Amino acid sequence: MPKALITGITGQDGSYLAEFLIKQGYEVLGMVRRTSTINFDRIRHFQDRVTLVQGDLLDQVSLLNILEEHKPDEVYNLAAQSFVPTSWTQPVLTGEFTALGVTRILDAVRLVNPKIRFYQASSSEMFGKVREVPQSEATPFYPRSPYGVAKVYGHWITINYRESYDLYACSGILFNHESPRRGLEFVTHKITNAVARIKLGLDSELRLGNLDARRDWGYAPDYVRAMWLMLQQDAPDDYVIATGETHSVQEFCEEAFRFVDLDWREYVVQDERFMRPAEVDMLVGDPTKAGETLGWEPSVTFGDLVRLMVEADIEALKRNARVPHLDYA
Ligand code: NAP
Ligand code: G4F
């Protein structure tokens, strides 16, 4: 039975990847950091089928010990400070987790067992102020946030360790991917949660920042499949994972409100607080290489993604699930 370690198992992608790997017959280890209250909401429904181990990307010894004791065949490094605005208020911490954390885990792989196959969660945020449209593996980077800068470091250190130590290390340049498990601070879930609350009479407005920003939004379960495929090839490589379609934040709002028969213009208010010091205006990926080499393609359209997220939020509110309202994001 192959064994995989997932850092960031409590996050959106980590939870879907764990479920996917269990279905593929893997023994799954999930690294979790110590918190004063348990935050296993996304993994509770399969917690009995994974082994949770305590560790932190800030702590090198914890990483070495986990690899030595549990001997995984594959490591998926998904843990990061992943919210772009927080990277301006906590730039050093973001660099520690999202940049140097990658070196810590790569070094642990190199020292404990260089045969481990390694996946790094790189990001379309690295393209930032885009140099070409659409963005492919060959597009130069121009990051626009401390998060984007940290991800560029993580991307290049992964390639450097592959070339320096002959590791099977891959970097997936994933464009935005969403789901009902997405953190509420990200714009898609912020919108669908607000639409559900407004439809059920629990809220009356939605305050957003830049409505013109464009993203290439896909469905998270499709994207974790691509991570696994990258580690099953003859040779390690880097891949763009995207839908190839771009939509604005406003289009996302239009679609989400339309689904519940409401007009977005009556509820959406632009608020300076949610504008960023430097914006990534437009992202759209070219997933040709992933299609040709991995046989990967997305299965959920933009319209289906919006609808499945609105439906899930309405259902959660009807079940009285506690969906907190966030004021800072
Ligand atoms: P997420 O929901 O924010 O999850 C992040 C995970 O990292 C959580 O499990 C978190 O644990 C963990 N973590 C944070 N700091 C840690 C540390 N110091 N040590 C150990 N664990 C730590 O992110 P996601 O959306 O699943 O994204 C997964 C990865 O893909 C991230 O690296 C992200 O930057 C990258 N990415 C995401 C997208 C996207 O659209 N979702 C696109 C491109 C790249 P806690 O639960 O304890 O906070
Ligand atoms: O949903 P977002 O916060 O995602 P962002 O910044 O694109 O980052 C996400 O995708 C990256 C991949 O490209 C990941 F690497 C990263 O970890 C994360 O998962 O914002 C999307 C867009 C931005 O242009 C933002 O300015 O939505 C715009 N926006 C407008 N109003 C807003 C808001 N974003 C948020 N979070 N909240 C708003 O009120």
Side-chain angles (χ1 to χ4, degrees):
M1 196 185 227
K3 200 189 270 192
L5 171 69
I6 303 173
T7 73
I9 193 170
T10 54
Q12 170 188 258
D13 290 5
S15 64
Y16 283 119
L17 179 63
E19 285 176 298
F20 176 83
L21 292 177
I22 291 167
K23 283 200 195 107
Q24 298 295 319
Y26 278 69
E27 181 179 345
V28 175
L29 300 164
M31 188 179 91
V32 294
R33 50 183 177 164
R34 193 264 162 187
T35 48
S36 66
T37 41
I38 300 295
N39 62 346
F40 293 172
D41 289 359
R42 295 185 178 106
I43 62 172
R44 190 160 291 122
H45 59 287
F46 60 78
Q47 210 183 312
D48 56 339
R49 281 173 284 153
V50 296
T51 304
L52 297 180
V53 290
Q54 225 179 63
D56 197 303
L57 283 187
L58 297 180
D59 190 287
Q60 182 80 54
V61 171
S62 67
L63 304 175
L64 287 164
N65 283 342
I66 289 169
L67 297 188
E68 263 163 12
E69 186 178 334
H70 296 278
K71 302 187 177 16
D73 305 294
E74 297 174 1
V75 171
Y76 295 85
N77 184 38
L78 309 188
Q81 190 303 94
S82 75
F83 189 47
V84 172
T86 297
S87 77
W88 277 287
T89 55
Q90 299 176 23
V92 174
L93 189 68
T94 300
E96 287 286 352
F97 286 9
T98 305
L100 285 179
V102 187
T103 310
R104 291 192 192 95
I105 191 142
L106 277 166
D107 253 342
V109 166
R110 176 178 72 84
L111 291 168
V112 175
N113 175 11
K115 296 272 176 259
I116 290 172
R117 293 191 169 205
F118 179 83
Y119 173 84
Q120 168 57 17
S122 285
S123 165
S124 52
E125 271 286 313
M126 302 189 300
F127 296 122
K129 193 169 177 177
V130 298
R131 307 283 88 188
E132 62 180 355
V133 178
Q135 297 84 52
S136 74
E137 294 80 4
T139 304
F141 299 137
Y142 193 138
R144 294 275 279 168
S145 63
Y147 169 83
V149 173
K151 281 288 179 187
V152 171
Y153 175 93
H155 181 76
W156 279 111
I157 200 71
T158 302
I159 293 170
N160 180 265
Y161 269 53
R162 177 168 79 215
E163 294 176 354
S164 304
Y165 304 113
D166 203 22
L167 298 186
Y168 189 110
C170 299
S171 180
I173 307 174
L174 271 52
F175 282 63
N176 300 50
H177 43 281
E178 318 293 316
S179 74
R181 295 188 201 166
R182 185 60 142 153
L184 273 175
E185 65 273 41
F186 298 93
V187 77
T188 54
H189 205 181
K190 181 174 174 180
I191 294 168
T192 60
N193 182 41
V195 165
R197 293 178 65 84
I198 290 168
K199 183 67 183 173
L200 297 178
L202 300 169
D203 244 331
S204 55
E205 65 171 22
L206 166 59
R207 303 188 84 84
L208 292 173
N210 180 10
L211 299 180
D212 298 326
R214 302 184 74 85
R215 290 290 183 274
D216 180 329
W217 279 297
Y219 182 46
D222 282 341
Y223 287 52
V224 302
R225 181 163 39 85
M227 297 173 187
W228 175 75
L229 283 168
M230 285 179 218
L231 296 200
Q232 314 311 312
Q233 305 305 307
D234 291 338
D237 208 343
D238 310 315
Y239 298 89
V240 159
I241 302 296
T243 69
E245 258 187 51
T246 185
H247 295 273
S248 67
V249 171
Q250 179 175 317
E251 284 165 24
F252 197 103
C253 287
E254 287 169 11
E255 187 77 20
F257 279 95
R258 191 182 310 126
F259 181 59
V260 294
D261 299 320
L262 295 175
D263 183 345
W264 72 280
R265 284 167 296 201
E266 290 175 28
Y267 304 96
V268 174
V269 180
Q270 257 194 312
D271 188 330
E272 278 297 316
R273 282 185 306 151
F274 302 117
M275 298 293 206
R276 298 180 179 185
E279 179 62 283
V280 172
D281 295 318
M282 204 281 292
L283 291 175
V284 59
D286 173 3
T288 304
K289 181 176 169 184
E292 288 176 358
T293 312
L294 305 177
W296 180 87
E297 56 180 41
S299 73
V300 172
T301 64
F302 174 72
D304 289 342
L305 174 67
V306 177
R307 283 189 287 279
L308 75 84
M309 289 180 70
V310 173
E311 274 175 342
D313 283 329
I314 291 175
E315 278 311 304
L317 286 169
K318 283 186 176 161
R319 282 197 318 270
N320 280 328
R322 199 167 59 90
V323 183
H325 183 84
L326 295 179
D327 198 39
Y328 62 84

